[in-house]
Amino acid sequence: MTTLLWIIAMILVLGALAYLRVSLLTATITAAVVMTAGWTLDVVGPISWIIFLVVALPLNISAFRQNVISRPLMKVYRGIMPEMSSTEKEAIEAGTTWWEADLFAGNPNWKKLHNYPVARLSADEQAFLDGPVEEVCRMVNQHQVSHQLADLPADVWQYLKDNGFFAMIIKKKYGGLEYSAYAQSRVLQKLAGLSSELASTVGVPNSLGPGELLQHYGTPEQQNHYLPRLAKGLEVPCFALTSPEAGSDAGSIPDFGIVCKGQWEGEEVLGMKLTWNKRYITLAPVATVLGLAFKLRDPEHLLGDKEELGITCALIPTDMEGVETGRRHFPLNCMFQNGPTHGNEVFVPLSFIIGGPKMAGQGWRMLVECLSVGRGITLPSNSAGGVKTAALATGAYARIRRQFKLPIGKLEGIEEPMARIGGNAYLMDAVTTLTTTGIDLGEKPSVISAIVKYHLTDRMQKCVIDAMDIHGGKGVCLGPNNYLGRGYQAAPIAITVEGANILTRSMIIYGQGAIRCHPYVLAEMESAFDTESGQGLANFDAAIFGHIGFATSNFIRSFWLGLTSSRFSNAPYSDKTKRYYQQMNRFSANLALLSDLAMATLGGNLKRKERISARLGDLLSQLYLASATLKRYEDEGRQTDDLPLVQWAVEDALYKLQASLDDLLDNFPMGLGGALRVVMFPFGRPLKRPSDVLDHKVAKIMQTPCESRDRLGKGQFWTNSEHNAVGIQEQTLLDIIASEPLHDKVCKASGKRLPFMWLDKVAAEGKALGVLSDDEVNLLERAEIGRMKSINVDDFDPAELRPEVVSTTSQERAA
C-alpha cells in the first residue's frame, strides 16, 4: 500500500512540475527529494536510484547531452524539416509577435492582456472625426456615387485632399496628420458605415502604398519630395503588386526590370527598363505616382555579382511616356477607383527605387513588413464599421417594421440573425481596437493581421447576408434609401483582396503562426541549419529540450484541464466571464499540444496539409477574437448591461473553436485523433452555441435606445441629414417608440384597437377625441412619415435607371 501511495505521489509531483513548467534542474531536484522520501519509507531501492541517476545526470550535464542526444536529433531534424527559402525566411522575420504568442503558448497571461493600454483618441484625432469626417459623410450621396457618377463627386475628392484624408499616416514634419493606428481605424469605420467607395479611397493611401514605404525606407530626397506632396493631395498614390499571373502568390510576380544604362534628362545614367502588367490596383486610374513591385535582374552585373536581385519596389510618375493607367475595373458595382496598369521597357534611373539602389532586391521584406500593419487596419476596420452601422440600422428597422401585428424584431426567427449581427458588431469593434493597440505599441503583427483580415471580412459578409434577409425587399431594391444593397454587392471584394481568404486561412495564419508564435520552433529551425556561428548545436540543444518540456507540459495541462473542465485554472475575475477565461486556458493548451504533434507527425509536409493547418489556425484565431472581446469589456468599465453582447461574442467564438477542434481530431494524422479526444474531451464537447435567451437579449439591445446600443454603434455616422438613410431612420426609431403610448391612449379613448399604421389618421382621431396635444399630434404625423420612408422602397422612372453620362473623365473629376 505504501508503495502504491508513493507511486501516486511521484506521478502527481511530476505532473504538477510539468503543469507549472519548472526548469529541468528544478524538476530533477524535486524528483530526487521524492526519491529520498521513498528511500526513507523503504519503497525505493538501489536499482531505482541507479535508473534515476542514469536518466537524470546525462540530461543535466549539457556537454554530454549535446553530443550524445542533441547531435543525432539535429541530424534527424534536418531530414524532416526542409531549410527555409530566403522568401519564407524574410516573411517569417518581417513581423513581430504579440498577444497571439501568449495564446499559442498554452498558458495565457490574462494580467498581461488587461495591462495593455486602453486605446484613446487624441484631441486632434477626435476633432478630425467630429469635423472633417462628419462633414465628408454629409457630402456623399451613395446612390449618386454608385449609380450616376460611378465615382466620388469632384468636390468630395477635393475635400479629401484639402483636409488631409490621404495623409493620416504621414508624419507632421512632412505636413501629414501622423495619426495613431487606432484613429485611422475609427475614421475608416465611420466612412465605411456610409460608403465603401469613400472608405476604400481613404484607406488605400494610408495602408500599403508609397506613403508608408517612403517613410520607412525612402531616401531623404524621396521623402522630402513626395511626402509633402502626398500630404497636400498634390499626388494621388497607388501601389501595384498583383499581376494576372500572380494573385495570392505575390512572390511569383512575372513583372521585371533589367539593370542597364540609358538616357535620362539628356544624360546617360545607370537605370532599369521596367515591364509590367498589373491589375486590381486601387486608385490606379487616378494615381499620379505609382508604387511598383517587380523582380530586378542584372544580367550584365552592373551592380555586382548577383544576376537575380529579387523583388524590388520603385516609384514611377504616371505621366511618364510608356506608363499606361486610366482604364477601370468594374468590381461588383462598387465604384471606387480600381484598374490595371501596364508598361513595356519603361526606362527609369536607379534612384527611383524606394530607398535608392542599395534597396534593390529588398522589396519583399519591405512589402511584408508594411502589409502586416496595413492589413491589420484597413479591411478589418472597414468590415467592423459596416457591421456596426448595419447592426443599429437593422435593429431600428426591425423595431419599426411590423408584421403579424408585431415589430418583426420580436419574432424569434428574426431574433436569431439579429443576434449574429449585434454580437459580431461588438466583437469586430473589439478586435480592431486590440489590434490597432498593438500596432500603436510598435508591433508589426503579421500573424494577427492575417487573423483579423480573414475573420472580420468573413464575419462581415455573413452579417450583411443576415441583414439582407431581415430587410427583405427593402434590401433588394436599390436606391437612395437602401443602405445595405451596395455593401452586400461589395462584400466579396474584401474577401478577395489583400490575400484571398481561402489562402489566408489555409496557409498564412498558421503557416506563420506555428513558426513565429511557438516559443521554440523558430530557434530550432535557425540553429539546426546554422553552420557558421559555432553555436548551432548548443542553441539547438537548448531549443529542443525546451520544446520537449513545453510539449510535456501541454499534454499534462490538456489532460488536467479536460478532466476538470478547467474549473481550477486561473481567471482574472470571478464574475460571469470567469468560465470564458478558464475555457480559453484549456483550448490554449490544446492548441499548443496539437501543434507539436502535427509538426512531429507531418514535419515539413504540414504546410501542404492545408486543412490541418487551417483548423489549427482557427483555434488560434478564435482565441484571439474572444480575448479581444474580453479586453474590450474590461476597458469599457465592465458595463454589466453589455454582458449579453460579450457573452454572445465569446460563446460564438469558442463554439466555432470547438467545432474546428472536433474536425481536427476527426482528421488528425496517424489516427491519433481518437486518443487525443479522450485527453481533451473526456466527457464530450463542453460548449454550446449561444442560447435562444441570449439571442433575445442581444436583439432587444439592438432595438432599444440605451447606453449599450450607443456603445455598440459608437463613432458611426448617425446624423439625420439629407442623404443618410440610417440617420433618418434612427430619428424615426425614437419617434415610433414615443408614439406607441400615444397610440394606446387613442385606442383606449376610442374603444377600438387601431392597427399601428396610418399614424397620421390616429393623430387626427386623437385630436378629435381631445386626448392628444398639438405636440403629440405632430409627433404621430412625423412618425408616420418616417415609418413609411423606412418600410417603403425606392422606385424610378425607367429613364432614371440609366446611369448618367458624364462628360468629364475620372481623372478630371479627381484632379
Side-chain angles (χ1 to χ4, degrees):
M1 187 65 179
T2 303
T3 301
L4 178 62
L5 291 174
W6 180 86
I7 292 173
I8 293 172
M10 176 61 89
I11 293 172
L12 291 175
V13 168
L14 292 177
L17 293 172
Y19 184 94
L20 296 172
R21 299 182 175 178
V22 302
S23 68
L24 176 60
L25 180 60
T26 301
T28 303
I29 293 171
T30 306
V33 170
V34 179
M35 290 288 291
T36 303
W39 177 272
T40 303
L41 295 171
D42 203 25
V43 171
V44 175
I47 295 177
S48 299
W49 269 108
I50 291 171
I51 294 172
F52 173 75
L53 293 173
V54 166
V55 173
L57 288 177
L59 292 178
N60 284 276
I61 300 173
S62 59
F64 180 89
R65 187 182 69 219
Q66 287 177 23
N67 288 288
V68 176
I69 302 175
S70 295
R71 191 180 296 277
L73 283 176
M74 188 163 68
K75 292 180 180 179
V76 173
Y77 188 93
R78 286 174 178 168
I80 295 173
M81 298 294 291
E83 189 172 4
M84 283 190 291
S85 68
S86 59
T87 54
E88 286 178 320
K89 191 171 183 180
E90 286 177 356
I92 291 298
E93 293 176 348
T96 61
T97 58
W98 189 51
W99 172 244
E100 76 277 25
D102 280 69
L103 296 172
F104 201 99
N107 186 22
N109 182 346
W110 300 115
K111 184 177 180 180
K112 177 180 177 181
L113 172 69
H114 290 310
N115 280 342
Y116 290 135
V118 178
R120 301 190 189 283
L121 296 171
S122 69
D124 286 348
E125 291 166 345
Q126 187 64 62
F128 186 72
L129 276 162
D130 295 340
V133 179
E134 180 81 8
E135 180 58 28
V136 81
C137 286
R138 288 176 184 268
M139 295 170 67
V140 171
N141 177 344
Q142 181 59 27
H143 181 69
Q144 180 192 50
V145 170
S146 59
H147 182 70
Q148 296 170 341
L149 297 180
D151 193 7
L152 294 172
D155 62 332
V156 171
W157 273 102
Q158 194 60 49
Y159 190 86
L160 294 174
K161 294 175 182 180
D162 292 344
N163 288 274
F165 279 83
F166 298 154
M168 289 191 290
I169 65 168
I170 296 177
K171 296 183 183 299
K172 291 182 178 179
K173 68 178 181 179
Y174 299 113
L177 299 178
E178 200 173 344
Y179 283 167
S180 65
Y182 177 64
Q184 295 172 48
S185 175
R186 306 313 289 191
V187 170
L188 293 175
Q189 284 189 35
K190 188 166 186 173
L191 300 179
L194 175 72
S195 166
S196 59
E197 289 86 354
L198 188 57
S200 298
T201 299
V202 172
V204 168
N206 292 289
S207 180
L208 176 62
E212 186 172 13
L213 292 172
L214 279 169
Q215 289 197 129
H216 284 89
Y217 308 104
T219 65
E221 293 78 13
Q222 290 170 341
Q223 292 173 340
N224 291 330
H225 174 74
Y226 278 111
L227 290 175
R229 293 177 61 79
L230 289 168
K232 294 176 182 177
L234 300 176
E235 303 278 6
V236 176
C238 72
F239 192 84
L241 173 61
T242 306
S243 298
E245 304 296 336
S248 296
D249 185 11
S252 65
I253 54 175
D255 314 283
F256 64 92
I258 304 294
V259 178
C260 61
K261 293 182 179 179
Q263 291 294 314
W264 182 258
E265 296 181 346
E267 296 182 9
E268 184 179 74
V269 299
L270 191 59
M272 313 170 282
K273 280 187 178 179
L274 304 175
T275 298
W276 71 90
N277 176 25
K278 303 287 191 178
R279 64 178 180 182
Y280 306 147
I281 311 306
T282 300
L283 294 186
V286 296
T288 62
V289 59
L290 173 72
L292 183 68
F294 54 93
K295 288 184 176 176
L296 186 61
R297 302 169 188 163
D298 186 12
E300 298 180 30
H301 302 284
L302 297 174
L303 295 179
D305 296 334
K306 289 182 66 176
E307 185 168 326
E308 298 291 336
L309 298 179
I311 294 176
T312 302
C313 297
L315 290 176
I316 314 297
T318 59
D319 60 359
M320 284 184 58
E321 184 177 353
V323 178
E324 298 180 34
T325 60
R327 295 187 64 81
R328 294 181 64 178
H329 299 312
F330 191 22
L332 293 173
N333 274 339
C334 188
M335 298 301 180
F336 65 99
Q337 291 285 342
N338 185 276
T341 176
H342 313 276
N344 183 40
E345 295 191 347
V346 177
F347 181 80
V348 298
L350 288 178
S351 60
F352 279 33
I353 295 173
I354 297 176
K358 70 180 187 333
M359 294 302 289
Q362 301 299 309
W364 182 242
R365 184 182 184 90
M366 293 161 61
L367 292 174
V368 173
E369 284 188 344
C370 289
L371 185 60
S372 69
V373 174
R375 188 166 54 181
I377 300 174
T378 304
L379 285 174
S381 299
N382 290 356
S383 299
V387 173
K388 285 167 63 178
T389 294
L392 267 61
T394 302
Y397 178 78
R399 185 70 176 78
I400 295 165
R401 175 68 165 158
R402 291 187 174 229
Q403 295 283 274
F404 310 108
K405 300 180 180 180
L406 284 172
I408 63 170
K410 293 189 176 182
L411 302 174
E412 289 192 355
I414 298 293
E415 285 184 342
E416 182 179 1
M418 281 188 68
R420 289 196 293 262
I421 300 169
N424 275 301
Y426 187 92
L427 177 145
M428 293 167 72
D429 199 1
V431 170
T432 57
T433 299
L434 180 60
T435 303
T436 52
T437 295
I439 293 170
D440 285 329
L441 290 173
E443 303 292 341
K444 295 180 178 178
S446 56
V447 178
I448 286 177
S449 69
I451 289 172
V452 299
K453 189 277 170 183
Y454 165 62
H455 285 278
L456 267 61
T457 58
D458 179 69
R459 285 173 178 252
M460 174 273 295
Q461 185 181 44
K462 291 178 170 63
C463 286
V464 172
I465 291 171
D466 277 333
M468 288 288 286
D469 287 349
I470 293 168
H471 283 76
K474 171 77 172 179
V476 169
C477 294
L478 294 173
N481 289 308
N482 185 332
Y483 43 77
L484 284 177
R486 295 300 186 184
Y488 172 79
Q489 288 179 312
I493 299 172
I495 301 295
T496 301
V497 299
E498 290 193 19
N501 276 9
I502 292 175
L503 166 87
T504 303
R505 176 175 180 259
S506 300
M507 297 178 64
I508 296 178
I509 294 174
Y510 190 75
Q512 289 189 326
I515 297 174
R516 289 309 312 268
C517 297
H518 197 289
Y520 299 104
V521 166
L522 184 58
E524 288 170 353
M525 295 178 73
E526 291 177 336
S527 59
F529 295 98
D530 179 8
T531 58
E532 298 180 0
S533 71
Q535 292 296 312
L537 178 60
N539 292 338
F540 182 81
D541 172 78
I544 197 70
F545 275 91
H547 195 157
I548 291 169
F550 178 73
T552 302
S553 172
N554 286 313
F555 176 82
I556 296 298
R557 289 180 64 82
S558 291
F559 174 75
W560 175 250
L561 294 173
L563 191 65
T564 62
S565 192
S566 62
R567 290 188 179 277
F568 303 109
S569 67
N570 68 300
Y573 295 99
S574 298
D575 58 9
K576 291 184 178 180
T577 65
K578 177 179 180 180
R579 291 294 293 143
Y580 301 145
Y581 290 102
Q582 292 178 328
Q583 292 290 4
M584 291 167 72
N585 291 335
R586 173 183 187 170
F587 288 130
S588 177
N590 294 165
L591 167 62
L593 175 61
L594 290 168
S595 293
D596 282 331
L597 291 175
M599 286 185 277
T601 54
L602 293 172
N605 290 323
L606 178 56
K607 65 182 179 181
R608 286 182 286 275
K609 299 293 289 184
E610 293 180 8
R611 299 185 74 173
I612 299 295
S613 177
R615 289 164 182 143
L616 286 165
D618 288 343
L619 307 190
L620 178 61
S621 298
Q622 300 297 348
L623 284 170
Y624 182 74
L625 303 185
S627 59
T629 303
L630 293 170
K631 166 69 169 165
R632 174 181 179 176
Y633 183 57
E634 166 74 8
D635 288 351
E636 292 184 348
R638 309 188 73 78
Q639 304 287 338
T640 55
D641 288 345
D642 295 353
L643 261 176
L645 297 165
V646 178
Q647 291 173 302
W648 195 99
V650 176
E651 289 177 20
D652 177 71
L654 296 185
Y655 184 79
K656 285 182 167 68
L657 184 156
Q658 180 181 258
S660 289
L661 176 53
D662 194 42
D663 289 341
L664 178 59
L665 295 177
D666 283 342
N667 295 278
F668 207 80
M670 298 177 63
L672 294 175
L676 291 169
R677 190 179 295 280
V678 173
V679 172
M680 296 177 182
F681 292 148
F683 305 111
R685 293 182 297 177
L687 302 182
K688 298 179 180 179
R689 67 175 73 249
S691 68
D692 295 353
V693 172
L694 197 51
D695 283 355
H696 170 75
K697 291 179 180 178
V698 173
K700 185 176 180 181
I701 289 173
M702 294 168 65
Q703 298 173 76
T704 309
C706 60
E707 292 184 358
S708 289
R709 188 175 186 271
D710 290 343
R711 283 189 287 271
L712 189 62
K714 183 179 179 182
Q716 297 307 104
F717 181 55
W718 302 118
T719 303
N720 182 357
S721 59
E722 180 184 1
H723 303 304
N724 188 18
V726 294
I728 294 169
Q729 186 170 259
E730 279 292 294
Q731 181 59 53
T732 299
L733 172 66
L734 299 176
D735 290 344
I736 288 294
I737 291 174
S739 295
E740 287 175 346
L742 304 181
H743 175 267
D744 291 342
K745 185 192 295 187
V746 175
C747 290
K748 183 177 180 181
S750 66
K752 298 178 291 186
R753 187 60 194 172
L754 302 171
F756 197 84
M757 59 178 68
W758 305 311
L759 298 181
D760 52 339
K761 296 180 180 179
V762 173
E765 186 163 351
K767 186 174 183 179
L769 291 170
V771 295
L772 296 180
S773 68
D774 289 343
D775 287 343
E776 290 171 332
V777 168
N778 291 336
L779 171 61
L780 283 169
E781 291 174 344
R782 186 174 72 242
E784 179 62 14
I785 294 170
R787 188 182 74 88
M788 294 307 296
K789 189 175 183 66
S790 180
I791 67 175
N792 273 336
V793 299
D794 297 295
D795 54 75
F796 305 89
D797 182 284
E800 293 181 85
L801 294 179
R802 291 195 295 271
E804 180 181 330
V805 178
V806 184
S807 59
T808 55
T809 65
S810 297
Q811 291 96 324
E812 288 169 335
R813 285 197 302 273

